[in-house]
Amino acid sequence: MSFPWAKNYEPQQPLMKWLDEKLPLPRLVYNAVGAGYPVPRNLNYFWNFGVLAGAALAIQIITGIVLAMHYAANAGVAFNSVEHIMRDVNAGWFIRYAHMNGASMFFIVVYLHIFRGLYYGSYKAPREMVWLLGVVIFLLMMATAFMGYVLPWGQMSFWGAQVITGFFSAIPMVGEPIRQWLLGGFAPDNAALNRFFSLHYLLPFVIAGVIILHIWALHIPGSSNPTGIEVKDEQDTVPFHPYYTAKDGFGLGVFLFVFAALTFFTPNLLGHADNYIAANPLSTPAHIVPEWYFWPFYAILRAFTFNFLWIDAKLWGVIAMFAAIALLFFLPWLDSSPVKSSTYRPLNRIFFWILVVDVLILGYCGKSPAEQPYVILSQLGSIYYFAHFLIILPIISRIERPLPMPNSITEAVLAKHADDKSAATA
Amino acid sequence: MASESEHSAVVEDGVRRRDFINIAAVSFAGVGAVAVVLPLVNQMNPSADVLALSSTEIDISAIGTGQAIKTSWRKQPVFVRNLTADEIKAAKAVPLGELRDPQTIDERTKPGKENWLITLGVCTHLGCVPLGAAEGENRGDFGGYFCPCHGSHYDTAARIRKGPAPTNLVVPPYEFTSDTVVTIG
């Protein structure tokens, strides 16, 4: 499971020796995130975001368990119970704001983690399974975040639930029964709120389970690195502890700094004022918008305004939105270039940044009302998004001529070091 | 020894008693599992109290020509609209071939009461409440209803004309119990 030069766990104290014989949990930790896990020596700060995502999940679970002690999942009192948390519960405002902004922080670091993987080709063999499990985690996160947003039972909660469960009614024939089955009624109400609460409490632990698989799958080939060259011998690696526990610790400090700034100074920056109005089934807010982390996908959903072939616009929108995520499952096989890192892929590097801009444009369109020019922009943006993965990537991975690559991680590091030195003396 | 030879004879035959017991036991466990899953899935469906069709009575005497009200049935909004003669004429003037979900206004209203347009106020796209029932709201490009969420336009017979919604606004089951009272459900 690890490189042959990995340090071996040798407990010194009698108690630890005894424990190692009965339940080798410290050994597991030592080999997973301790000195027993050799990691490439050249990881940059973009490799912090996996650990940060784990930290964000832990924060969400802790604040969430506390919130559940004060929240009441009943359509009659849910909105007021959230206000009760905000006004009456000791430090309730802080815990709720932390949970609210913690979700945004979770998505920020996960998006950076995903784009890191895209830039450095982390999804390629031998790490396809790591990538696939990551996409599963992303899907679970989206489901969890959506259901969590429904719980305060404000206007955006209610109408978000109405719109998102409305996706399923697009399925021919069985769509409406499926929607009623999901909601337990004809419109979002008590039954829906209760089951969403139950699942919102469950799914984070499912995510934690899949994260364990994600890390397990990662530790079989070992971590990737910015050069994309696999580890060849001992001098290419350093032990995870203390080298990367320290580097991740620093990153965690920066993360908490941003998180605290958001929570304490602008707690509602990423929310919507409409969600402080209690749910009203008879009045739709003028402008329904999902949370920011769904904007690009929401833009793809709305891009279809016309029937196409024999499928109506509504179903196309839903298919396109789910396909935009499902596409990621095929990425390891759509990109056939043997070179992982975009550092050595001049063409891929350019198209990677165009994709980033495209997703940002889609995000902006998803936030904006369904009118021109945003409709045409989201149509073009959606076409480009799919073209990137289905056409551009397969083509450039065949025609691109990679830049000359170093023979090993160590060679790359030493060459960079020599460059820096000569630049400094010159 | 006799029993052993007997046993090997059965093996040559290809099917052992144990194979049968194996398949029977696993199949029975499978049937049991399905029997347990069914109620676990079915509990998610609308419960009896939700299903209980509360029929709603609406007094429509106060709705003047050209006006509309918003009420609720099975927790879903319902629009009751008193169409003007011009609006009925406009709806009749549209050739059916132009419609995404072809229906005449006669099919969407009761005979002799074609000025009363009663529909669910639930956009058939993703379920928002369209605008246009209340005074001064945007009625869209076709003078009926307009859904602000994703820009679906409905005409004066609440038929989809433009935008992503696939079908017309749904006409719920209802009947006139008198000239001024409608029972929905």
Side-chain angles (χ1 to χ4, degrees):
Chain A
M1 187 172 159
S2 190
F3 300 113
W5 57 85
K7 283 187 187 151
N8 202 21
Y9 177 66
E10 276 154 16
Q12 300 300 322
Q13 290 150 322
L15 178 68
M16 297 307 274
K17 279 182 182 165
W18 180 86
L19 186 61
D20 194 45
E21 282 171 14
K22 319 295 174 200
L23 180 73
L25 192 62
R27 176 181 293 275
L28 182 76
V29 172
Y30 183 92
N31 289 333
V33 290
Y37 179 50
V39 187
R41 61 192 281 185
N42 60 336
L43 300 192
N44 61 33
Y45 276 109
F46 281 101
W47 264 258
N48 273 11
F49 290 99
V51 164
L52 295 185
L57 177 69
I59 291 170
Q60 288 308 87
I61 289 180
I62 292 166
T63 52
I65 288 173
V66 173
L67 286 175
M69 295 177 186
H70 303 280
Y71 170 79
N74 180 296
V77 293
F79 184 82
N80 290 340
S81 77
V82 172
E83 286 307 306
H84 156 76
I85 291 170
M86 293 299 288
R87 294 154 196 251
D88 303 335
V89 174
N90 299 319
W93 61 271
F94 165 62
I95 294 156
R96 171 159 182 267
Y97 276 155
H99 196 70
M100 248 171 84
N101 289 292
S104 284
M105 292 302 291
F106 197 0
F107 274 96
I108 290 171
V109 295
V110 161
Y111 278 128
L112 287 165
H113 191 58
I114 292 172
F115 277 106
R116 189 289 314 269
L118 287 174
Y119 185 86
Y120 290 108
S122 306
Y123 49 85
K124 292 187 182 195
R127 296 181 189 82
E128 306 97 312
M129 186 53 80
V130 184
W131 175 261
L132 298 181
L133 289 166
V135 180
V136 171
I137 293 170
F138 182 48
L139 282 169
L140 286 169
M141 276 176 68
M142 293 175 96
T144 311
F146 157 65
M147 288 191 277
Y149 195 54
V150 174
L151 302 184
W153 210 240
Q155 273 289 65
M156 283 295 174
S157 302
F158 180 91
W159 291 100
Q162 174 82 317
V163 169
I164 305 274
T165 56
F167 294 167
F168 293 91
S169 69
I171 302 165
M173 313 297 284
V174 293
E176 194 51 39
I178 287 180
R179 178 168 181 272
Q180 288 174 13
W181 178 76
L182 288 170
L183 286 176
F186 303 98
D189 203 0
N190 214 21
L193 181 61
N194 266 295
R195 66 189 55 177
F196 283 7
F197 180 55
S198 167
L199 293 173
H200 183 72
Y201 206 120
L202 165 73
L203 286 184
F205 298 97
V206 177
I207 292 176
V210 183
I211 287 175
I212 288 172
L213 300 183
H214 188 66
I215 297 172
W216 187 6
L218 171 70
H219 284 200
I220 289 170
S223 299
S224 172
N225 70 86
T227 64
I229 301 162
E230 293 298 327
V231 169
K232 294 208 165 91
D233 56 43
E234 190 171 358
Q235 59 173 348
D236 288 343
T237 68
V238 289
F240 189 88
H241 179 74
Y243 290 90
Y244 288 110
T245 42
K247 191 161 184 159
D248 287 335
F250 176 74
L252 185 64
V254 176
F255 169 87
L256 290 174
F257 182 80
V258 176
F259 182 29
L262 207 54
T263 304
F264 290 112
F265 295 128
T266 62
N268 290 302
L269 177 70
L270 300 169
H272 300 287
D274 273 306
N275 221 28
Y276 286 103
I277 302 170
N280 178 358
L282 294 185
S283 163
T284 310
H287 182 40
I288 298 185
V289 227
E291 290 283 80
W292 68 267
Y293 34 81
F294 293 137
W295 285 346
F297 301 102
Y298 196 56
I300 294 175
L301 169 81
R302 295 192 303 183
F304 278 92
T305 52
F306 47 87
N307 295 353
F308 182 58
L309 299 177
W310 37 268
I311 297 176
D312 65 48
K314 175 175 164 180
L315 186 54
W316 269 120
V318 175
I319 291 173
M321 191 190 64
F322 282 109
I325 301 163
L327 198 57
L328 298 176
F329 282 112
F330 300 95
L331 180 61
W333 297 277
L334 289 168
D335 178 2
S336 60
S337 170
V339 179
K340 291 193 191 83
S341 172
S342 290
T343 310
Y344 305 106
R345 298 185 63 188
L347 268 180
N348 190 56
R349 190 161 60 205
I350 294 167
F351 283 102
F352 167 83
W353 286 110
I354 297 178
L355 178 73
V356 171
V357 172
D358 182 58
V359 171
L360 291 175
I361 291 174
L362 279 173
Y364 189 76
C365 291
K367 160 196 199 284
S368 307
E371 56 198 36
Q372 299 297 2
Y374 306 115
V375 176
I376 185 76
L377 257 180
S378 37
Q379 286 169 341
L380 294 174
S382 305
I383 291 172
Y384 186 82
Y385 179 91
F386 284 99
H388 174 86
F389 290 104
L390 293 173
I391 302 169
I392 296 169
L393 208 51
I395 291 177
I396 58 171
S397 61
R398 281 175 179 79
I399 64 167
E400 178 179 53
R401 173 185 271 202
L403 300 176
M405 293 172 64
N407 289 313
S408 71
I409 293 171
T410 301
E411 195 183 300
V413 171
L414 295 181
K416 190 160 176 282
H417 193 60
D419 281 355
D420 291 349
K421 252 191 184 163
S422 62
T425 50
Chain B
M1 287 306 283
S3 70
E4 204 169 277
S5 65
E6 197 178 301
H7 183 70
S8 60
V10 181
V11 169
E12 276 161 29
D13 204 35
V15 184
R16 293 176 304 158
R17 274 161 59 93
R18 182 136 307 180
D19 291 333
F20 175 78
I21 293 167
N22 244 331
I23 291 168
V26 172
S27 313
F28 197 73
V31 171
V34 170
V36 173
V37 164
L38 276 178
L40 284 177
V41 169
N42 196 29
Q43 54 80 22
M44 295 265 288
N45 273 317
S47 53
D49 58 328
V50 172
L51 276 181
L53 271 184
S54 55
S55 53
T56 306
E57 282 205 347
I58 307 164
D59 181 359
I60 56 171
S61 57
I63 310 170
T65 307
Q67 289 185 325
I69 60 157
K70 225 192 267 186
T71 173
S72 128
W73 170 66
R74 291 209 302 206
K75 302 242 172 187
Q76 291 176 296
V78 174
F79 293 158
V80 182
R81 183 151 161 181
N82 191 349
L83 297 173
T84 64
D86 283 349
E87 286 172 335
I88 298 171
K89 214 170 24 176
K92 286 193 166 163
V94 186
L96 279 188
E98 265 183 31
L99 296 173
R100 185 177 297 169
D101 181 12
Q103 262 187 325
T104 64
I105 189 165
D106 296 331
E107 288 169 323
R108 297 175 59 72
T109 52
K110 299 286 181 200
K113 305 269 188 194
E114 65 179 10
N115 58 320
W116 290 108
L117 178 69
I118 300 177
T119 59
L120 290 186
V122 180
C123 180
T124 56
H125 181 224
L126 294 172
C128 297
V129 178
L131 301 175
E135 206 80 39
E137 282 181 352
N138 185 355
R139 290 187 161 180
D141 293 356
F142 299 89
Y145 299 104
F146 170 69
C147 183
C149 293
H150 307 94
S152 289
H153 298 256
Y154 296 88
D155 68 10
T156 52
R159 296 174 297 196
I160 179 64
R161 297 293 290 275
K162 191 175 138 190
T167 58
N168 304 333
L169 289 187
V170 173
V171 177
Y174 69 90
E175 58 187 15
F176 283 87
T177 37
S178 78
D179 269 357
T180 56
V181 176
V182 177
T183 305
I184 301 178

